[in-house]
Coordinates of all heavy atoms in Angstrom, one line a residue:
Y1496 N -76.5 90.2 199.0 CA -77.6 89.2 198.9 C -77.9 88.7 197.6 O -78.8 87.8 197.4 CB -78.9 89.9 199.5 CG -78.8 90.4 200.9 CD1 -78.4 91.7 201.2 CD2 -79.0 89.5 202.0 CE1 -78.3 92.1 202.5 CE2 -78.9 89.9 203.3 CZ -78.5 91.3 203.6 OH -78.4 91.7 204.9
L1497 N -77.2 89.2 196.5 CA -77.6 88.8 195.2 C -76.4 88.4 194.4 O -75.4 89.2 194.3 CB -78.3 90.0 194.5 CG -79.0 89.7 193.1 CD1 -80.1 88.6 193.3 CD2 -79.6 91.0 192.6
G1498 N -76.4 87.2 193.8 CA -75.3 86.7 193.0 C -75.4 87.1 191.5 O -75.7 86.2 190.7
N1499 N -75.3 88.4 191.3 CA -75.4 88.9 189.9 C -74.1 89.4 189.4 O -74.1 90.5 188.7 CB -76.5 89.9 189.8 CG -76.3 91.2 190.6 OD1 -75.4 91.2 191.5 ND2 -77.0 92.2 190.3
C1500 N -73.0 88.8 189.7 CA -71.7 89.2 189.2 C -71.6 89.2 187.7 O -70.9 90.0 187.1 CB -70.5 88.3 189.8 SG -70.6 86.6 189.4
W1501 N -72.4 88.3 187.1 CA -72.4 88.3 185.6 C -72.9 89.6 185.0 O -72.4 90.1 184.0 CB -73.3 87.1 185.1 CG -74.7 87.2 185.6 CD1 -75.2 86.8 186.8 CD2 -75.8 87.7 184.9 NE1 -76.5 87.1 186.9 CE2 -77.0 87.6 185.8 CE3 -76.0 88.3 183.6 CZ2 -78.2 88.1 185.4 CZ3 -77.3 88.7 183.3 CH2 -78.4 88.6 184.1
F1502 N -73.9 90.2 185.7 CA -74.5 91.5 185.3 C -73.5 92.6 185.6 O -73.2 93.4 184.7 CB -75.8 91.7 186.0 CG -76.3 93.1 185.9 CD1 -76.9 93.5 184.7 CD2 -76.3 94.0 187.0 CE1 -77.4 94.8 184.6 CE2 -76.8 95.3 186.9 CZ -77.3 95.7 185.7
L1503 N -72.9 92.6 186.7 CA -72.0 93.7 187.1 C -70.7 93.6 186.4 O -70.1 94.7 186.1 CB -71.8 93.7 188.6 CG -73.1 94.0 189.4 CD1 -72.8 93.9 190.9 CD2 -73.6 95.4 189.1
A1504 N -70.2 92.4 186.0 CA -69.0 92.3 185.2 C -69.3 93.0 183.8 O -68.4 93.6 183.2 CB -68.6 90.9 185.0
S1505 N -70.5 92.9 183.3 CA -70.9 93.5 182.1 C -71.0 95.0 182.2 O -70.6 95.8 181.3 CB -72.2 92.9 181.6 OG -72.1 91.5 181.4
V1506 N -71.5 95.5 183.4 CA -71.6 96.9 183.7 C -70.2 97.5 183.7 O -69.9 98.6 183.1 CB -72.3 97.2 185.0 CG1 -72.2 98.6 185.4 CG2 -73.7 96.7 185.0
G1507 N -69.2 96.8 184.3 CA -67.8 97.3 184.3 C -67.3 97.5 182.9 O -66.6 98.5 182.6
A1508 N -67.6 96.6 182.0 CA -67.2 96.7 180.6 C -68.0 97.9 179.9 O -67.4 98.7 179.1 CB -67.5 95.4 179.8
L1509 N -69.2 98.1 180.3 CA -70.0 99.1 179.7 C -69.5 100.5 180.0 O -69.6 101.4 179.2 CB -71.5 99.0 180.2 CG -72.5 100.1 179.8 CD1 -72.7 100.0 178.3 CD2 -73.8 99.8 180.6
T1510 N -68.9 100.7 181.2 CA -68.4 102.0 181.6 C -67.3 102.6 180.7 O -67.0 103.8 180.7 CB -68.0 102.0 183.1 OG1 -66.9 101.1 183.2 CG2 -69.1 101.6 184.0
F1511 N -66.6 101.7 180.0 CA -65.6 102.1 179.1 C -66.1 102.8 177.8 O -65.3 103.5 177.2 CB -64.7 100.9 178.7 CG -63.7 100.6 179.7 CD1 -64.0 99.7 180.7 CD2 -62.4 101.1 179.7 CE1 -63.1 99.3 181.7 CE2 -61.5 100.7 180.7 CZ -61.8 99.8 181.7
Q1512 N -67.3 102.5 177.4 CA -67.8 103.0 176.2 C -68.9 104.1 176.4 O -70.1 103.7 176.6 CB -68.4 101.8 175.3 CG -67.4 100.6 175.2 CD -66.1 101.0 174.7 OE1 -65.9 102.0 173.9 NE2 -65.1 100.2 175.0
E1513 N -68.5 105.3 176.3 CA -69.4 106.4 176.7 C -70.6 106.4 175.8 O -71.8 106.7 176.2 CB -68.7 107.7 176.5 CG -69.5 108.9 177.0 CD -68.7 110.2 176.9 OE1 -67.5 110.2 176.7 OE2 -69.3 111.3 177.1
D1514 N -70.4 106.2 174.5 CA -71.6 106.2 173.5 C -72.6 105.1 173.9 O -73.8 105.4 173.8 CB -71.1 106.0 172.1 CG -70.3 107.2 171.6 OD1 -70.3 108.3 172.2 OD2 -69.5 107.1 170.6
V1515 N -72.1 103.9 174.2 CA -73.0 102.8 174.5 C -73.7 103.1 175.8 O -74.9 102.8 176.0 CB -72.3 101.5 174.5 CG1 -73.2 100.3 174.8 CG2 -71.6 101.2 173.2
M1516 N -72.9 103.7 176.8 CA -73.5 104.0 178.1 C -74.6 105.0 177.9 O -75.7 104.9 178.6 CB -72.4 104.6 179.0 CG -72.8 104.7 180.4 SD -72.9 103.2 181.3 CE -73.7 103.6 182.8
D1517 N -74.4 106.0 177.1 CA -75.5 107.0 176.8 C -76.7 106.4 176.2 O -77.8 106.9 176.4 CB -75.0 108.1 176.0 CG -74.0 109.0 176.7 OD1 -73.9 108.9 177.9 OD2 -73.2 109.8 176.0
Q1518 N -76.6 105.3 175.5 CA -77.7 104.6 174.9 C -78.5 103.9 176.0 O -79.7 103.9 176.0 CB -77.2 103.6 173.8 CG -76.7 104.2 172.6 CD -76.1 103.1 171.6 OE1 -75.6 103.4 170.5 NE2 -76.1 101.9 172.1
V1519 N -77.8 103.2 176.9 CA -78.4 102.4 177.9 C -79.0 103.4 179.0 O -80.1 103.1 179.5 CB -77.4 101.5 178.6 CG1 -78.0 100.8 179.8 CG2 -76.9 100.5 177.6
M1520 N -78.3 104.4 179.3 CA -78.8 105.4 180.3 C -78.9 106.8 179.7 O -77.9 107.5 179.7 CB -77.9 105.4 181.6 CG -78.4 106.3 182.7 SD -77.3 106.0 184.2 CE -75.7 106.6 183.7
P1521 N -80.0 107.1 179.1 CA -80.1 108.4 178.4 C -79.7 109.6 179.3 O -80.0 109.6 180.5 CB -81.6 108.5 178.1 CG -82.0 107.1 177.9 CD -81.2 106.3 178.9
V1522 N -79.0 110.6 178.8 CA -78.4 111.6 179.6 C -79.4 112.7 180.1 O -79.1 113.5 180.9 CB -77.3 112.3 178.8 CG1 -76.2 111.3 178.5 CG2 -77.9 112.9 177.5
D1523 N -80.6 112.7 179.5 CA -81.6 113.8 179.9 C -82.3 113.5 181.1 O -83.6 113.6 181.2 CB -82.5 114.0 178.7 CG -83.3 112.8 178.3 OD1 -82.9 111.7 178.7 OD2 -84.4 112.9 177.7
Q1524 N -81.7 113.1 182.2 CA -82.4 112.8 183.5 C -81.4 113.0 184.6 O -80.2 112.8 184.5 CB -82.9 111.4 183.5 CG -81.9 110.3 183.0 CD -82.6 109.0 182.8 OE1 -83.7 108.7 183.3 NE2 -82.0 108.1 182.1
S1525 N -82.0 113.5 185.8 CA -81.1 113.8 186.9 C -82.0 114.0 188.1 O -83.3 113.8 188.1 CB -80.3 115.0 186.7 OG -81.1 116.2 186.7
F1526 N -81.4 114.3 189.3 CA -82.1 114.7 190.5 C -82.3 116.2 190.6 O -82.5 116.8 191.6 CB -81.4 114.2 191.7 CG -81.5 112.7 191.9 CD1 -80.5 111.9 191.4 CD2 -82.6 112.1 192.5 CE1 -80.5 110.5 191.5 CE2 -82.6 110.7 192.7 CZ -81.6 109.9 192.1
G1527 N -82.2 116.9 189.4 CA -82.2 118.4 189.4 C -83.6 118.9 189.3 O -84.6 118.3 189.8
E1528 N -83.8 120.0 188.6 CA -85.1 120.7 188.6 C -86.2 119.9 188.0 O -87.4 120.1 188.4 CB -84.9 122.0 187.8 CG -84.0 123.1 188.4 CD -83.9 124.3 187.6 OE1 -84.6 124.4 186.6 OE2 -83.2 125.2 188.1
D1529 N -85.9 119.1 187.0 CA -87.0 118.3 186.3 C -87.2 116.9 187.0 O -87.8 116.0 186.4 CB -86.8 118.2 184.9 CG -85.5 117.4 184.6 OD1 -84.7 117.2 185.5 OD2 -85.3 117.0 183.4
Y1530 N -86.7 116.8 188.2 CA -86.8 115.5 188.9 C -88.3 115.2 189.3 O -89.0 116.1 189.8 CB -86.0 115.5 190.2 CG -86.2 114.4 191.1 CD1 -85.8 113.1 190.8 CD2 -86.9 114.6 192.3 CE1 -86.0 112.0 191.7 CE2 -87.1 113.6 193.2 CZ -86.7 112.3 192.9 OH -86.9 111.3 193.8
A1531 N -88.7 114.0 189.0 CA -90.1 113.6 189.3 C -90.1 112.2 189.9 O -91.2 111.5 189.9 CB -91.0 113.7 188.1
G1532 N -89.0 111.7 190.3 CA -88.9 110.3 190.9 C -89.0 109.2 189.8 O -89.3 108.1 190.1
I1533 N -88.8 109.6 188.5 CA -88.9 108.6 187.4 C -87.6 108.7 186.6 O -87.0 109.7 186.4 CB -90.1 109.0 186.6 CG1 -90.3 107.9 185.4 CG2 -90.1 110.4 186.0 CD1 -91.6 108.1 184.7
F1534 N -87.2 107.5 186.2 CA -86.0 107.3 185.4 C -86.2 106.3 184.3 O -87.2 105.5 184.5 CB -84.8 106.9 186.3 CG -84.3 108.0 187.2 CD1 -84.8 108.2 188.4 CD2 -83.3 108.9 186.8 CE1 -84.4 109.2 189.3 CE2 -82.8 109.9 187.6 CZ -83.4 110.1 188.8
R1535 N -85.4 106.3 183.3 CA -85.6 105.3 182.2 C -84.2 104.8 181.8 O -83.2 105.5 181.9 CB -86.3 105.9 181.1 CG -85.6 107.0 180.4 CD -86.2 107.4 179.1 NE -85.7 108.6 178.5 CZ -85.9 109.0 177.3 NH1 -86.8 108.4 176.5 NH2 -85.4 110.1 176.8
F1536 N -84.2 103.5 181.3 CA -83.0 102.9 180.8 C -83.4 102.1 179.5 O -84.6 101.8 179.3 CB -82.4 102.0 181.8 CG -81.9 102.7 183.0 CD1 -82.7 103.0 184.1 CD2 -80.6 103.0 183.1 CE1 -82.3 103.6 185.2 CE2 -80.1 103.7 184.2 CZ -80.9 104.0 185.3
R1537 N -82.4 101.9 178.6 CA -82.7 101.2 177.4 C -81.9 99.9 177.3 O -80.7 100.0 177.5 CB -82.4 102.1 176.2 CG -83.4 103.2 176.0 CD -83.1 104.1 174.8 NE -84.0 105.2 174.7 CZ -83.7 106.4 174.2 NH1 -82.5 106.6 173.8 NH2 -84.6 107.3 174.1
F1538 N -82.5 98.9 176.9 CA -81.9 97.6 176.7 C -82.3 97.0 175.4 O -83.4 97.2 174.9 CB -82.2 96.6 177.8 CG -81.9 97.1 179.2 CD1 -83.0 97.4 180.1 CD2 -80.6 97.4 179.6 CE1 -82.7 97.8 181.4 CE2 -80.4 97.8 180.9 CZ -81.4 98.1 181.8
W1539 N -81.4 96.2 174.8 CA -81.6 95.5 173.5 C -82.1 94.1 173.9 O -81.3 93.4 174.5 CB -80.4 95.5 172.7 CG -80.5 94.9 171.3 CD1 -80.9 95.5 170.2 CD2 -80.3 93.5 170.9 NE1 -80.9 94.7 169.1 CE2 -80.5 93.4 169.6 CE3 -79.9 92.4 171.7 CZ2 -80.4 92.2 168.9 CZ3 -79.8 91.2 171.0 CH2 -80.0 91.1 169.6
R1540 N -83.3 93.8 173.5 CA -83.8 92.5 173.8 C -84.3 91.7 172.6 O -85.3 92.1 172.0 CB -85.0 92.6 174.8 CG -84.6 93.3 176.1 CD -83.9 92.4 177.1 NE -84.8 91.4 177.7 CZ -84.3 90.4 178.5 NH1 -83.1 90.3 178.8 NH2 -85.2 89.6 179.0
F1541 N -83.6 90.7 172.2 CA -84.0 89.8 171.1 C -84.3 90.6 169.8 O -85.3 90.4 169.2 CB -85.1 89.0 171.5 CG -84.9 88.3 172.8 CD1 -85.7 88.7 173.9 CD2 -84.0 87.3 173.0 CE1 -85.5 88.1 175.2 CE2 -83.8 86.8 174.3 CZ -84.5 87.1 175.3
G1542 N -83.4 91.5 169.5 CA -83.6 92.2 168.2 C -84.2 93.6 168.3 O -84.3 94.3 167.3
K1543 N -84.7 93.9 169.4 CA -85.4 95.2 169.6 C -84.9 96.0 170.8 O -84.6 95.4 171.8 CB -86.9 95.0 169.8 CG -87.7 94.3 168.7 CD -87.9 95.2 167.5 CE -88.7 94.5 166.4 NZ -89.0 95.4 165.2
W1544 N -84.8 97.3 170.7 CA -84.5 98.2 171.8 C -85.8 98.5 172.6 O -86.8 98.8 172.0 CB -83.8 99.5 171.4 CG -82.4 99.3 171.0 CD1 -81.9 99.1 169.7 CD2 -81.3 99.3 171.9 NE1 -80.5 98.9 169.8 CE2 -80.1 99.1 171.1 CE3 -81.1 99.5 173.2 CZ2 -78.8 99.0 171.6 CZ3 -79.9 99.4 173.8 CH2 -78.7 99.2 173.0
I1545 N -85.7 98.4 173.9 CA -86.9 98.7 174.7 C -86.5 99.8 175.7 O -85.4 100.0 176.1 CB -87.4 97.5 175.5 CG1 -86.3 96.9 176.4 CG2 -87.9 96.4 174.5 CD1 -86.7 95.8 177.3
D1546 N -87.5 100.6 176.0 CA -87.4 101.7 176.9 C -88.1 101.3 178.3 O -89.3 101.0 178.3 CB -88.1 103.0 176.4 CG -87.6 104.3 177.0 OD1 -86.4 104.4 177.0 OD2 -88.4 105.1 177.4
V1547 N -87.3 101.2 179.3 CA -87.7 100.7 180.6 C -87.8 101.8 181.6 O -86.9 102.5 181.9 CB -86.8 99.6 181.1 CG1 -87.3 99.0 182.5 CG2 -86.6 98.5 180.1
V1548 N -89.0 102.0 182.2 CA -89.3 103.0 183.1 C -89.3 102.5 184.5 O -89.9 101.4 184.8 CB -90.7 103.7 182.8 CG1 -91.0 104.7 183.9 CG2 -90.7 104.3 181.4
I1549 N -88.7 103.2 185.5 CA -88.8 102.8 186.9 C -89.0 104.0 187.8 O -88.7 105.2 187.3 CB -87.5 102.1 187.3 CG1 -86.3 103.0 187.1 CG2 -87.3 100.8 186.6 CD1 -85.0 102.6 187.8
D1550 N -89.5 103.8 189.0 CA -89.4 104.9 190.0 C -88.1 104.7 190.7 O -87.4 103.7 190.5 CB -90.6 104.9 190.9 CG -90.7 103.6 191.8 OD1 -89.7 103.0 192.1 OD2 -91.8 103.2 192.1
D1551 N -87.7 105.7 191.6 CA -86.4 105.6 192.2 C -86.4 105.1 193.6 O -85.5 105.3 194.4 CB -85.7 106.9 192.1 CG -86.4 108.0 192.8 OD1 -87.6 107.8 193.2 OD2 -85.8 109.1 193.0
K1552 N -87.5 104.4 194.0 CA -87.5 103.7 195.3 C -86.6 102.5 195.3 O -86.7 101.6 194.4 CB -88.9 103.3 195.6 CG -89.9 104.5 195.9 CD -91.2 104.0 196.4 CE -92.2 105.1 196.8 NZ -93.5 104.6 197.3
L1553 N -85.7 102.4 196.2 CA -84.7 101.3 196.3 C -84.8 100.6 197.6 O -85.0 101.2 198.7 CB -83.3 101.9 196.1 CG -83.0 102.7 194.8 CD1 -81.7 103.5 194.9 CD2 -83.0 101.7 193.7
P1554 N -84.6 99.3 197.6 CA -84.7 98.4 198.8 C -83.5 98.6 199.7 O -82.4 98.6 199.3 CB -84.8 97.0 198.2 CG -84.1 97.1 196.9 CD -84.4 98.4 196.4
T1555 N -83.8 98.9 201.0 CA -82.8 99.1 202.0 C -83.1 98.4 203.3 O -84.2 98.0 203.5 CB -82.7 100.6 202.3 OG1 -83.9 101.0 203.0 CG2 -82.5 101.5 201.1
I1556 N -82.0 98.2 204.0 CA -82.1 97.7 205.4 C -81.3 98.7 206.3 O -80.1 98.9 206.0 CB -81.6 96.3 205.6 CG1 -82.5 95.3 204.8 CG2 -81.6 95.9 207.0 CD1 -82.0 93.8 204.9
D1557 N -82.0 99.2 207.3 CA -81.3 100.2 208.2 C -80.7 101.4 207.4 O -79.7 101.9 207.7 CB -80.3 99.6 209.0 CG -80.8 98.5 210.0 OD1 -82.0 98.7 210.4 OD2 -80.1 97.5 210.3
G1558 N -81.4 101.8 206.3 CA -81.0 102.9 205.5 C -79.9 102.6 204.6 O -79.4 103.6 203.9
E1559 N -79.5 101.4 204.4 CA -78.4 101.0 203.5 C -78.9 100.2 202.3 O -79.8 99.3 202.6 CB -77.3 100.2 204.2 CG -76.7 100.9 205.4 CD -75.7 102.0 205.0 OE1 -75.2 102.0 203.8 OE2 -75.5 102.9 205.8
L1560 N -78.5 100.4 201.1 CA -78.9 99.6 200.0 C -78.5 98.2 200.2 O -77.3 97.9 200.6 CB -78.3 100.2 198.7 CG -78.7 101.6 198.3 CD1 -77.9 102.1 197.1 CD2 -80.2 101.7 198.0

Side-chain angles (χ1 to χ4, degrees):
Y1496 298 96
L1497 189 59
N1499 63 345
C1500 60
W1501 60 277
F1502 168 73
L1503 295 175
S1505 302
V1506 173
L1509 176 65
T1510 60
F1511 279 89
Q1512 310 305 335
E1513 184 178 352
D1514 292 344
V1515 182
M1516 190 75 190
D1517 289 345
Q1518 291 176 177
V1519 173
M1520 185 171 65
V1522 296
D1523 59 341
Q1524 47 190 343
S1525 70
F1526 289 93
E1528 293 182 1
D1529 62 345
Y1530 168 73
I1533 183 172
F1534 289 87
R1535 63 171 173 170
F1536 294 85
R1537 289 182 183 147
F1538 305 113
W1539 184 90
R1540 301 283 286 177
F1541 312 110
K1543 299 285 188 180
W1544 283 94
I1545 59 173
D1546 203 51
V1547 182
V1548 175
I1549 59 168
D1550 64 32
D1551 62 348
K1552 291 185 175 183
L1553 299 168
T1555 68
I1556 293 179
D1557 297 329
E1559 301 287 338
L1560 296 175

